Every structure is written in C-alpha cells, then in structure tokens.
Amino acid sequence: MSTATETLQQNLSFQQFKEEILNDYYIVMLSRECSLAGRKEVLTGKAKFGIFGDGKELPQIAMAKAFKKGDWRSGYYRDQTFMMAIGKFTPKQFFAGLYAHADINKEPYSAGRQMGGHFSSHIIDENGDWKDQTKQYNISSDVSSTAAQMPRLVGLAYASKLYRNVKSLQTGYSKFSDKGNEIGWGTIGNASTSEGHFFEAINASGVLQIPMITSVWDDEYGISVHAKYQTTKENISEVLKGFQRDKKNKGLEILRVNGWDYVKLIDTYNRAANISRSEHVPVLIHVQELTQPQGHSSSGSHERYKTNERLQWERDFDCNKKFKNWIQEFELETPEGDLLKLIDNDEELKAIEVRAKKEVIQAKKEARADFLAPLIKEQQELIKLLDAVSIVSSNKNFIIKMRNELAITKEPTRKEIYSTARKATQFLRLENSEEKKTLQDWLVKNKKITQDIYSTKLYNDLGNGVSTIDEILPTYEKDIHEVDARIIIRDNFDALLKKHPDLFLFGEDSGKIGDVNQGLESLQDKFGEDRVTDTGIRESTIIGQGIGMALRGLRPIAEIQYLDYLIYTIQTLSDDLACLRYRSFGKQKAPLIIRTRGHRLEGIWHSGSPMSMILGSLKGIHLLVPRNMTKAAGFYNTLLKCDEPAIVIENLNGYRLKENLPNNLGEYTTPIGYTETIKEGTDITIVSYGSTLRIVEETAIDLLQAGINIEIIDVQSLMPFDINHDICKSVQKTNRLLIVDEDVPGGASAYILQKVLDEQNAYNYLDSKPTALSAKEHRPAYGSDGDYFSKPSKEDIFEAAYKIMHEVKPTEFPELY
C-alpha cells in the first residue's frame, strides 16, 4: 500500500480500504488514550512509573503493515502502538504491565518483572522446547538500557543470512526460518543513537549485509536534552550518509520520512521491507518530525524544557491530529468522475474516539480488579489469622493495631501484607498457641510462593539444566599421545562442528588464523567462512550477534579474545543475556556460549582477572573456569547438550603445555557445578581454579617437604558452585581452609568464602580462621617480575598455608621471617 490509488488497484474495494484506514485510526487513538490514562495512574500513585508511546503512533502503524510472521523485533519501550497493530497487545495488558501484575497470563511479557512497555513473545513452550517461530510474530525481550537492543538486533538479522546461505541449515530448521526471508526490525529513539552500541551495530550490519531495518523515532529530544547536544548536525541520517550504499559499494539503504505522513510512511516501510527481505540489505529509516505530547516519562513535564513555539508546533504536527486531517480531506476520483470520501462528516471519527476512550476506561477497571483480587484474598486470609491469634496473645493490642491498619487498606500491596505478618511474629515470639502455629505455617507457605513469583526462572528450572548432565570421562589410546594442549581444543571443535550442523564459531582472529592461540587452526578452511568466522573488533555486537543467533535456534560460540575484553561488552552480557530467561519469565532462552581466555599473562591489559565484576553482574550465565584444555573441551561438549548460556575461560598460558590427547573428543563431558579433588590431604583444604591451580599443585610438593599435607580442590565451575558441598566435606576432614585466587581482594575469593561459610556452613568444622589469598588490588604489572609481585606466587601460597599451621603448632612450624 504505497498510495491510496495503488491500494485500490490491489483488489481492495473502497469499503475495505475505508475500513483499513479507520481501523488504523482506531488503533492510534486507542494507544494514545492508554498513554494519557497511564500517566494519570502514575500520578495518582496506582503505578510506579511510566514511559509511553504517545507521539510515535503513526509510524508504528506503518511498520506493523510491513512486519510479517517469522520476523523479529528488537525494540524499545515506546512501541506500544506497533504491538497493538500486530494484535499482540491490548489495553488491558497495558494496565497489567503498568501495575506490575505478577501473573504471566495477565501480563504475558514479563509477569510484572519489567515496567510497562517492555514486550516479548513466547518462543519456548512449557517444556522448554522451541515453538515454531515462522508462524508467529517474534519479539525479543526488551531492555530499558538505551541502545541495548542494537547488539542483539545484529544477531537476529544475521541468523536469516545463515539460514539462507549455509548448506547445513537447509533442512531440519523449518521452525526457525523460511529460507532466510525474515527481517530483524529495530527501533530506537533519536537520542539513543548517540550510544556506541548503535554505531557499532549499524557498522556491523553494513559489513555483514544482513536483513536489518532500524527505525529511528526522532522527536528532537532525549529526555530534556535537545538534539543539538546529542547528534552532530542534529540529524542522525546526515551523520550516517557515508554508510549509504551505491553502485560501487555495499552499505545501508537510508530512508527519511516524516512521522505524521501516513501515505509516505506506509510507502517507505514497504519499500524498506522489500529491499531488506529480498536483497538482505540493512536499511535505516529516519522517522522525523515526531512529537512527545506528554514529555519523556511520567517523572516530569516537557513544559519545563521546551519553548512555547516548540510546544505549539508539537500540537500542530501531532501525528494523530495530522492523520485525522488527512482522513477528513481525503478524496478519490473514480473513473466515472465521482468523488469518494473516507467519511461524510466528523461524527464517524468522533465515534471512533469515544469507542477508544471507553475501551481504555473499561480495560483499566478490569485490569485493576484482576491485579487486586489475589492481594485482597491474601489480605483477608491474614486478617482472619490475626483476629484468631489476637484473642490468645498477651500482645493483643499491638496485633489488633496492625490488623486494623491492614484492614483499612483498600488496595493492599504484597509488601504491606507480608510485612504485617512478619512483624506479628515478632510480638508472638515468646508465646505458644495453635493460633500462632497456624499463622506461622501460613507465612512460611505463602512467603515461599510469593517469593517464587519474583525470583524464579533465572536459570533453566525444567529438570534438564547443565548440572543434570552426567560426567563422561575422557578415554585414551593404549599408547598415550601427548600433544600441545591447543590440539585438544582444536580437534574437539572439529568433532563438534561435524556433530552439530547448527554450531557456529566467530570472533576476532577466529577464522583465518584459527584464533590467536591456534585453538581453531585450519577449521575455517575445513568448514567454511560461515561456520568459523572472523569479525571486526566489536565486542558488544559479537555478543549481540550470538544472542540473536541463539534466540533463533542456532548454537553460536562467540569468542571474546581476552578475558579483560569482556569489560567492553559487560553491559550487553548483563542487561540482555544474563537476565533474559528471568525477565521473560522463562518464555525466552538464548543458549549462547562465550569462549574467552585469561589469567597469568604478564601486563595490565591482557592478564586481568575481573572475576568479581563477572560474578557480580552476570548471574544467569554459567561461569566455568577449567584448569586445562581437556577440561575446557569437556565443558563445551556438556554445554551443547543443554540450552543455557555460559562463559568458558580457557587458560591463556596453557595452550603450549602438554596434555594427553583423548580419543573420544566431542563426546566426553566435564560436569558443571561440581568440584574435583585433585589431591587428597589432611592438614589444610586449599581451593582454587584455572591456571592458579597449577601453582598450587607445584607448591604442594614444597609444603609436603615441610610437613604440611594439603588437600587441593579444583572449583571448576564458579556459577553454579559446588552443588554437592564437597569443599565443606573436605573442611570437615582438615578443619582448615585456604582460598587461592588471582582476582582482586574481595573478589572471587570472597565469593567462594561466602558460599562455603554461609551456604555450606563449613564454619562448624573450622579450627583456624579461613584465609583468602588473592592478587593485589591493582592490575598486574608488566614482565615476570610484575607478575610475581602482583599475583599469588608459589612462595605466597606456601607462606599462607605455613602461617595457618604456625598458629596451630608454633613449635613445629616456627615463623619463617
């Protein structure tokens, strides 16, 4: 539908054409009424916060007309009209999201875990199996962080390229793609295009030549800050002119359109979709002259920062108002010379506006009632329990006061209900009665149920997660073949690429040279550039590329060249991948594996061990720290049997060390979440991981000569951690604990200590203070001397263990110096 006349020529009767136009008007008015009512709900205290899609309605109608089943959207929190236009968002769901209704059936995008306006589709069923993505509109779970939707968008579009071009994907993947004809649609505000994620993603899309359409909703502001402070030339499409493709060079197609021009919007979006879908060319649509009628969010008024002239312009160029004017003025001359109008008078449009307003009012009423119903039920249950216990309690007056305060609350929150119940138990702590026990039982049972509402789904909880995969030990030929450890990694990936046609490895230097440590040597030559791929230096979109691919049913392994470089992409990992399963209430998954390497190299920039950063910000991603390449290869084998994301940190200084070559590569598995005792001892339990473990093993010989017999435990997996509590069992035997780690003080060593003491209760068996030996607070200095004085050395470990034994037996172990 590019113009009204052309639409009629596409076998639409005038009546059908009229119905389509008026239905579009109804949707934009319905969406606007939701925005207006949503702001009022926040200002009256019924909702916490709101960011709405008012002012962006019309271009989203156009986008919805070009969006097809099988396509993917990676957008942001102003896309409510688009969701309504594709039939996947109702006013009732709008208010359920606004109230944070913690019921996935009422708020189907996050079960109230995200604020309103954050959308997602259910791409896995109740058993964790993939749904048929080609038969539904696919919405990748939104995030609030500005421009954070862009890295994943690259991967969603890149998957279409792979599904179209890679032979191994031509059969068996019909649930995920129809010959690569799907588009990845992105939306972003004009101010957010200032973020590095945006530029990195746009550049990557041009390099990769993928079917990716990015819409920039441009209302000239970012919160209260005008475009002149945001964007060079105040115009993002001007800035990006160098990306425009031409006859000699591949690049992007860049289109501009005014956000209030209904006919040109539809023409532009259809044109963009045709180009991107057929040619696999990225398109940027700069939608200009948009407005923001209520300002940025419910937290402030735009009258504070916009001039009177700008405010008047926004009233005049409101896209809904301009659409209404277009409908009022539309005339089409028939071949007979008659003039056809969409409406005879304004009453028809007024009726649409009234119907939209009534639907929103009714939806708000029903959504509020649905939201309050379970809370009122819990409130009434607790009131009855408090009534009963107050009769027999010596603290009757206090309990009745709490009971009455709760009872007069017409719209209770769960916080108020359970806070009241828990406070009541404080007054009953010295009493004994059946009524008290009934209250306690109710609180324990319901507190668990309600906590689950807000805390589940971070990991796979379907009974087939990573920790359920049994260990398969590596086996060896009779005549053991010793090789450089990198050969084990390389040949294991070779076996996996043969075994898994949907497996793809990519990253900086991964292809041509087979990674910087030759762990992928010659695999690109063997399996092709699509399966083993070089990328640019763009860590965030390497991870985003993997997230999008994983969402679309592929098994990507994204390589981040060094562990330190995770810092470049920690935001994408944290805000998108780590919490994906949680924030979609288990309705989406992206089993991306991140391959990296680190530890014990010399110098500030390639030898950091930012484990505390990873542990603190990446809950939801498994963190695996193998001590050698045999263990690392086993982790990859295990992960490809599961559907959860993970980071595998290979030892940077271990690739040239010798290891025995297994003969069941691609088959044996390293268990995830379980430790391994690699040396038994009686005096001290020493816990470590990764390459530092090798130093501990070497030190064990010196300690044994000094009369100290240590037990060495390899953590192997930091997240999940020691499921069987084997460290506690060891401490129960040795009564002493030393944790050795090369992270900064208070980092991974503190994490391990908290797990062992708090969760495993190992303090019950300690006869000496538990000790953590870590690196210095600074990054490692360059050179061998720098490493020696920055990270734990053999002598450091010896002295730490010796000091523990000196405290126990000072005569037998006198001070060293």
Side-chain angles (χ1 to χ4, degrees):
M1 178 178 167
S2 56
T3 68
T5 305
E6 289 176 6
T7 299
L8 289 175
Q9 293 173 347
Q10 294 171 0
N11 299 318
L12 274 181
S13 68
F14 185 78
Q15 183 60 32
Q16 290 171 323
F17 173 60
K18 174 180 176 177
E19 289 174 359
E20 181 175 343
I21 301 300
L22 295 186
N23 183 64
D24 287 347
Y25 186 68
Y26 178 68
I27 292 172
V28 301
M29 294 311 299
L30 191 69
S31 179
R32 178 64 62 87
E33 289 295 335
C34 283
S35 297
L36 296 172
R39 183 179 177 86
K40 291 178 182 177
E41 291 300 277
V42 175
L43 295 180
T44 57
K46 291 182 179 179
K48 282 286 187 181
F49 183 73
I51 291 185
F52 309 113
D54 47 309
K56 316 296 185 293
E57 292 94 347
L58 207 57
Q60 292 181 27
I61 289 284
M63 175 177 158
K65 291 180 184 296
F67 191 89
K68 294 184 178 181
K69 288 184 177 179
D71 286 354
W72 277 84
R73 168 193 162 275
S74 181
Y76 85 136
Y77 41 68
R78 299 197 191 277
D79 291 347
Q80 68 193 46
T81 311
F82 167 79
M83 293 296 293
M84 289 178 173
I86 63 171
K88 293 301 177 182
F89 188 45
T90 67
K92 195 170 178 180
Q93 291 167 342
F94 172 91
F95 289 104
L98 200 60
Y99 302 141
H101 196 158
D103 182 341
I104 193 67
N105 297 306
K106 302 295 184 181
E107 199 280 86
Y109 311 109
S110 72
R113 292 179 174 184
Q114 298 213 77
M115 72 176 186
H118 289 66
F119 306 110
S120 66
S121 56
H122 298 187
I123 61 173
I124 55 177
D125 62 22
E126 298 301 319
N127 299 316
D129 296 323
W130 294 107
K131 290 187 173 184
D132 191 334
Q133 297 178 5
T134 66
K135 295 180 179 178
Q136 66 177 35
Y137 298 116
N138 300 295
I139 311 297
S140 57
S141 180
D142 290 335
V143 295
S144 288
S145 311
T146 55
Q149 67 271 37
M150 295 302 297
R152 126 171 52 101
L153 176 61
V154 172
L156 292 170
Y158 182 67
S160 288
K161 179 176 181 176
L162 295 176
Y163 279 123
R164 179 173 288 184
N165 297 331
V166 177
K167 289 183 179 180
S168 62
L169 301 179
Q170 297 308 301
T171 58
Y173 296 91
S174 59
K175 275 189 174 184
F176 303 103
S177 180
D178 177 18
K179 300 176 182 177
N181 289 324
E182 301 77 27
I183 295 172
W185 297 81
T187 63
I188 189 169
N190 57 293
S192 294
T193 63
S194 302
E195 295 276 14
H197 285 336
F198 173 80
F199 282 95
E200 193 174 304
I202 290 296
N203 181 60
S205 73
V207 170
L208 295 171
Q209 288 296 285
I210 51 179
M212 174 176 133
I213 299 177
T214 304
S215 296
V216 179
W217 308 142
D218 190 349
D219 56 29
E220 290 195 16
Y221 284 84
I223 310 182
S224 65
V225 181
H226 190 266
K228 65 184 178 182
Y229 300 108
Q230 305 277 3
T231 310
T232 302
K233 301 182 180 181
E234 300 180 31
N235 189 311
I236 191 61
S237 55
E238 280 292 309
V239 172
L240 297 177
K241 273 185 174 179
F243 286 90
Q244 173 67 52
R245 65 175 181 162
D246 54 40
K247 292 181 179 180
K248 293 183 178 180
N249 300 291
K250 295 180 179 179
L252 278 68
E253 187 67 34
I254 300 176
L255 307 175
R256 295 185 189 180
V257 63
N258 289 330
W260 46 264
D261 192 329
Y262 178 71
V263 173
K264 288 185 179 178
L265 280 165
I266 294 172
D267 179 53
T268 300
Y269 273 91
N270 279 338
R271 180 185 170 198
N274 289 335
I275 291 170
S276 197
R277 204 180 299 279
S278 61
E279 300 178 46
H280 274 199
V281 170
V283 181
L284 180 111
I285 304 176
H286 186 189
V287 184
Q288 300 175 286
E289 296 196 9
L290 287 171
T291 67
Q292 204 151 268
Q294 299 186 106
H296 172 262
S297 71
S298 60
S299 63
S301 170
H302 62 155
E303 285 84 2
R304 295 165 55 199
Y305 54 85
K306 290 178 181 174
T307 65
N308 289 332
E309 291 77 14
R310 173 68 191 186
L311 291 170
Q312 184 59 49
W313 182 89
E314 292 203 6
R315 286 189 287 270
D316 293 340
F317 281 81
D318 183 301
C319 63
N320 290 6
K321 180 180 179 180
K322 297 285 280 186
F323 186 29
K324 181 177 182 177
N325 294 341
W326 179 83
I327 294 172
Q328 291 169 325
E329 296 169 3
F330 179 87
E331 291 181 344
L332 178 66
E333 185 175 356
T334 68
E336 293 78 19
D338 297 327
L339 287 179
L340 297 176
K341 295 186 175 183
L342 287 172
I343 57 171
D344 295 323
N345 55 61
D346 289 348
E347 293 304 313
E348 198 167 354
L349 294 183
K350 288 181 181 177
I352 289 173
E353 293 163 9
V354 170
R355 182 161 64 96
K357 187 182 289 289
K358 285 183 177 179
E359 181 175 343
V360 170
I361 291 171
Q362 183 63 27
K364 179 178 68 173
K365 181 180 178 181
E366 292 177 4
R368 190 68 182 172
D370 288 347
F371 170 69
L372 290 172
L375 304 182
I376 291 172
K377 179 176 180 291
E378 293 170 32
Q379 177 196 38
Q380 295 303 316
E381 289 175 353
L382 180 56
I383 287 172
K384 289 180 180 179
L385 292 170
L386 293 175
D387 283 339
V389 79
S390 67
I391 296 173
V392 299
S393 174
S394 60
N395 287 297
K396 176 180 180 178
N397 292 337
F398 294 103
I399 293 172
I400 289 177
K401 182 176 183 294
M402 287 189 292
R403 179 260 185 222
N404 290 340
E405 288 175 351
L406 181 63
I408 62 173
T409 305
K410 293 182 179 180
E411 295 190 348
T413 65
R414 278 208 169 92
K415 175 184 176 182
E416 291 169 327
I417 295 166
Y418 288 91
S419 176
T420 300
R422 295 167 75 179
K423 285 179 181 177
T425 64
Q426 297 172 21
F427 288 101
L428 299 169
R429 67 187 186 280
L430 301 178
E431 300 179 12
N432 290 301
S433 68
E434 284 299 316
E435 292 80 1
K436 172 187 174 181
K437 186 177 186 307
T438 302
L439 173 62
Q440 289 174 322
D441 290 345
W442 180 91
L443 179 57
V444 170
K445 176 186 175 183
N446 285 277
K447 186 170 178 286
K448 170 66 169 61
I449 293 171
T450 52
Q451 190 64 59
D452 284 351
I453 290 172
Y454 303 101
S455 299
T456 52
K457 312 293 183 183
L458 181 60
Y459 299 100
N460 180 335
D461 59 0
L462 299 172
N464 58 354
V466 293
S467 297
T468 66
I469 304 300
D470 292 333
E471 180 177 18
I472 299 174
L473 292 171
T475 57
Y476 301 91
E477 300 292 344
K478 186 175 181 180
D479 295 326
I480 292 177
H481 186 35
E482 193 176 64
V483 297
D484 286 347
R486 72 174 185 88
I487 300 298
I488 295 173
I489 285 287
R490 183 198 66 186
D491 291 359
N492 194 74
F493 280 135
D494 189 325
L496 291 176
L497 285 162
K498 292 174 184 173
K499 185 177 181 180
H500 300 280
D502 52 359
L503 177 62
F504 296 83
L505 295 96
F506 53 92
E508 299 160 14
D509 291 319
S510 297
K512 203 71 170 179
I513 68 169
D515 88 40
V516 290
N517 295 99
Q518 305 294 281
L520 301 174
E521 180 193 24
S522 75
L523 294 184
Q524 185 181 82
D525 293 337
K526 190 170 184 178
F527 294 95
E529 290 187 13
D530 288 326
R531 300 289 304 281
V532 183
T533 308
D534 282 313
T535 69
I537 299 176
R538 49 177 181 84
E539 282 79 11
S540 284
T541 49
I542 289 173
I543 294 301
Q545 190 171 325
I547 294 171
M549 292 168 66
L551 280 166
R552 295 196 59 188
L554 301 174
R555 293 311 308 261
I557 296 179
E559 180 171 317
I560 299 298
Q561 197 165 74
Y562 295 105
L563 179 60
D564 304 69
Y565 296 175
L566 280 181
I567 296 171
Y568 282 95
T569 187
I570 202 73
Q571 188 270 335
T572 300
L573 287 167
S574 180
D575 289 351
D576 198 349
L577 183 62
C579 63
L580 174 63
R581 196 183 285 260
Y582 171 79
R583 74 176 187 272
S584 67
F585 201 72
K587 300 304 180 182
Q588 293 196 355
K589 63 181 179 181
L592 168 63
I593 300 170
I594 297 101
R595 179 190 181 216
T596 188
R597 54 189 66 82
H599 307 313
R600 307 309 304 203
L601 194 67
E602 298 166 358
I604 290 176
W605 304 116
H606 292 91
S607 57
S609 182
M611 305 302 288
S612 53
M613 177 187 70
I614 297 168
L615 289 165
S617 60
L618 301 187
K619 295 293 195 299
I621 300 175
H622 299 306
L623 181 58
L624 311 179
V625 283
R627 68 180 183 269
N628 57 37
M629 300 306 157
T630 302
K631 290 289 184 179
F635 277 139
Y636 293 117
N637 299 341
T638 302
L639 289 168
L640 287 170
K641 292 176 178 282
C642 308
D643 67 350
E644 297 176 79
I647 297 171
V648 181
I649 304 174
E650 298 170 13
N651 291 329
L652 189 50
N653 61 1
Y655 293 101
R656 301 292 173 177
L657 299 178
K658 299 297 183 181
E659 293 183 36
N660 296 331
L661 180 66
N663 62 7
N664 58 341
L665 293 169
E667 300 296 331
Y668 73 88
T669 56
T670 305
I672 294 176
Y674 303 94
T675 66
E676 181 180 355
T677 301
I678 57 177
K679 178 190 176 299
E680 294 191 356
T682 55
D683 295 325
I684 304 174
T685 298
I686 297 187
V687 177
S688 191
Y689 61 86
S691 57
T692 302
L693 200 70
R694 188 163 54 252
I695 301 174
V696 174
E697 289 183 273
E698 293 170 356
T699 308
I701 299 170
D702 297 336
L703 286 168
L704 194 60
Q705 291 175 345
I708 302 172
N709 186 7
I710 64 170
E711 182 148 299
I712 304 175
I713 295 181
D714 180 5
V715 169
Q716 296 197 110
S717 167
L718 283 166
M719 294 191 296
F721 182 84
D722 191 11
I723 292 171
N724 287 341
H725 291 191
D726 287 325
I727 295 174
C728 182
K729 294 171 187 175
S730 176
V731 172
Q732 191 172 358
K733 177 174 64 173
T734 66
N735 308 121
R736 296 171 190 89
L737 175 64
L738 171 61
I739 298 166
V740 182
D741 169 50
E742 63 173 64
D743 196 6
V744 295
S749 56
Y751 168 85
I752 295 170
L753 193 61
Q754 185 269 331
K755 290 284 187 181
V756 174
L757 296 185
D758 270 4
E759 295 185 10
Q760 300 186 12
N761 296 322
Y763 63 86
N764 287 319
Y765 309 107
L766 286 168
D767 290 340
S768 300
K769 180 188 77 171
T771 301
L773 174 63
S774 61
K776 303 304 180 186
E777 292 185 355
H778 54 78
R779 290 195 178 193
Y782 180 64
S784 297
D785 290 345
D787 176 77
Y788 182 83
F789 288 99
S790 299
K791 292 188 174 185
S793 64
K794 284 178 61 177
E795 289 72 31
D796 291 328
I797 297 168
F798 183 97
E799 290 170 7
Y802 190 90
K803 183 178 180 180
I804 293 172
M805 296 307 297
H806 166 70
E807 180 188 29
V808 179
K809 300 177 181 179
T811 303
E812 186 174 344
F813 302 100
E815 287 186 344
L816 293 172
Y817 58 89

